[in-house]
């Protein structure tokens, strides 16, 4: 029943909020920043309602590690679609995401993603992939934070998948801090359940200390970036017992 109610709410919400998207599209022609903030509020409210209906409860650690005076790039492990819902509402700043381009196959959804500054990566086309990396870097330069999941797909295993290089190239080109994010428990909201039924679950999100690669020599930068997956995995394993309580 919980799955039916939540899915019905999500589908109807996407459909009935579409006129608001059209309003935001017109507003953006006059005041892009105002439209962006309004879109962020709409998405936060929608995500919050879905989380409430699902019964997923979050514990957030390390918010003091998020700078409030500059845009950053969040880099997290990827377990579930609920990573996006959970992280977006855990961060007190506007936030966009880099997604795989096949998300556009879902009717209307990507329109709202456009509104909050999401970008879409086509891994089958090197030129388009580079364009997306540059586009994402430009969004951060313009003052808006972005979140990326460098594993590239939802991971069902105990170990992190190898991180794609593109995420770190974005941070390098944008000249921004990297905030590693360790996520655990989101897969228990849906993907870890039989037939992907929605269940109540505890979710733990930890924001680790910022990583600054600005001004580093190539060898130093590589060493710093190579250490990020290990830091995320260590924090994830540390927090796993919290979702079982």
């Amino acid at each position: 029943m919980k799955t039916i109610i939540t899915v019905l709410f999500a589908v109807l919400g996407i459909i009935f909020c579409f006129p608001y998207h059209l309003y935001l599209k017109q507003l953006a022609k006059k005041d892009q920043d105002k439209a962006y903030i309004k879109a962020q509020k709409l998405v936060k409210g929608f995500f919050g309602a879905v989380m409430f209906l699902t019964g997923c409860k979050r514990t957030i650690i390390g918010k003091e590690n998020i700078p409030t005076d500059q845009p950053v790039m969040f880099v997290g492990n990827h377990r579930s679609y609920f990573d996006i819902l959970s992280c977006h509402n855990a961060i007190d700043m506007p936030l966009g995401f880099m997604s795989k381009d096949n998300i556009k196959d879902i009717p209307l959804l990507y329109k709202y993603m456009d509104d909050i500054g999401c970008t879409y990566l086509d891994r089958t086309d090197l030129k388009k992939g580079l364009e997306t990396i540059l586009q994402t870097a430009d969004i951060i330069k313009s003052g808006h934070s972005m979140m990326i999941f460098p594993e590239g797909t939802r991971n069902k295993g105990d170990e992190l998948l190898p991180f794609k290089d593109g995420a770190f190239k974005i941070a390098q080109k944008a000249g921004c801090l990297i905030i590693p994010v360790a996520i655990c428990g989101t897969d228990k909201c849906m993907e870890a359940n039989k037939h992907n039924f929605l269940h109540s679950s505890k979710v733990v999100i930890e924001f680790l200390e910022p990583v600054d690669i600005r001004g580093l020599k190539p060898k130093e930068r590589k060493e710093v970036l190579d250490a990020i997956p290990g830091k995320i995995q260590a924090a994830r394993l540390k927090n796993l017992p919290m979702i079982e309580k």
Side-chain angles (χ1 to χ4, degrees):
M1 181 61 71
K2 180 181 296 185
T3 302
I4 294 173
I5 292 173
T6 305
V7 171
L8 186 61
F9 170 82
V11 172
L12 292 178
I14 290 172
I15 294 172
F16 286 111
C17 286
F18 192 69
Y20 192 71
H21 156 74
L22 297 177
Y23 158 72
L24 292 176
K25 191 174 181 180
Q26 292 302 312
L27 178 61
K29 295 178 181 178
K30 301 176 181 178
D31 191 334
Q32 190 168 6
D33 286 339
K34 187 175 181 179
Y36 182 77
I37 295 300
K38 285 182 175 290
Q40 291 283 340
K41 289 181 178 179
L42 173 67
V43 171
K44 280 185 181 293
F46 179 77
F47 284 172
V50 172
M51 293 288 289
F52 174 78
L53 291 173
T54 307
C56 291
K57 301 184 183 301
R58 293 171 305 163
T59 297
I60 302 170
I61 305 170
K63 286 188 71 172
E64 67 277 6
N65 289 322
I66 303 175
T68 58
D69 60 346
Q70 59 186 294
V72 299
M73 189 180 78
F74 296 93
V75 173
N77 62 297
H78 197 18
R79 307 289 299 183
S80 168
Y81 286 121
F82 277 82
D83 295 337
I84 295 174
L85 280 71
S86 301
C87 290
H88 192 275
N89 279 25
I91 297 169
D92 299 327
M93 62 171 65
L95 183 68
F97 296 84
M98 177 187 277
S99 172
K100 290 186 290 186
D101 68 336
N102 60 6
I103 196 72
K104 291 185 176 182
D105 294 336
I106 303 176
L108 301 183
L109 178 62
Y110 75 94
K111 298 291 186 181
Y112 299 99
M113 296 175 65
D114 288 345
D115 292 339
I116 63 169
C118 294
T119 57
Y120 312 95
L121 183 65
D122 182 354
R123 292 200 180 91
T124 65
D125 189 315
L126 186 60
K127 182 179 179 181
K128 288 184 179 179
L130 179 58
E131 289 174 353
T132 301
I133 287 174
L134 296 175
Q135 178 190 7
T136 306
D138 285 342
I139 290 174
I140 298 175
K141 287 180 183 179
S142 73
H144 301 306
S145 296
M146 295 289 288
M147 185 164 191
I148 298 168
F149 302 105
E151 289 177 284
T153 188
R154 287 169 290 156
N155 182 5
K156 299 179 182 179
D158 295 329
E159 300 294 328
L160 268 60
L161 299 174
F163 276 22
K164 310 292 184 182
D165 292 336
F168 298 138
K169 289 179 181 177
I170 292 168
Q172 185 178 345
K173 292 181 180 298
C176 66
L177 294 175
I178 300 170
I179 308 294
V181 186
I183 307 166
C184 58
T186 47
D187 54 333
K188 293 184 179 296
C189 296
M190 187 176 76
E191 284 85 350
N193 306 321
K194 188 176 181 180
H195 305 305
N196 284 341
F197 284 168
L198 299 176
H199 287 180
S200 301
S201 175
K202 293 181 180 179
V203 172
V204 180
I205 301 171
E206 181 169 0
F207 299 101
L208 308 181
E209 292 184 0
V211 175
D212 191 352
I213 59 173
R214 296 171 292 189
L216 296 181
K217 295 179 180 179
K219 184 178 180 180
E220 295 173 323
R221 184 169 61 241
K222 185 178 186 305
E223 290 176 353
V224 170
L225 294 177
D226 286 348
I228 290 177
K231 292 180 179 180
I232 292 175
Q233 176 69 343
R236 192 183 78 84
L237 293 176
K238 170 180 68 71
N239 294 331
L240 277 176
M242 297 177 65
I243 70 174
E244 304 295 342
K245 293 181 180 179

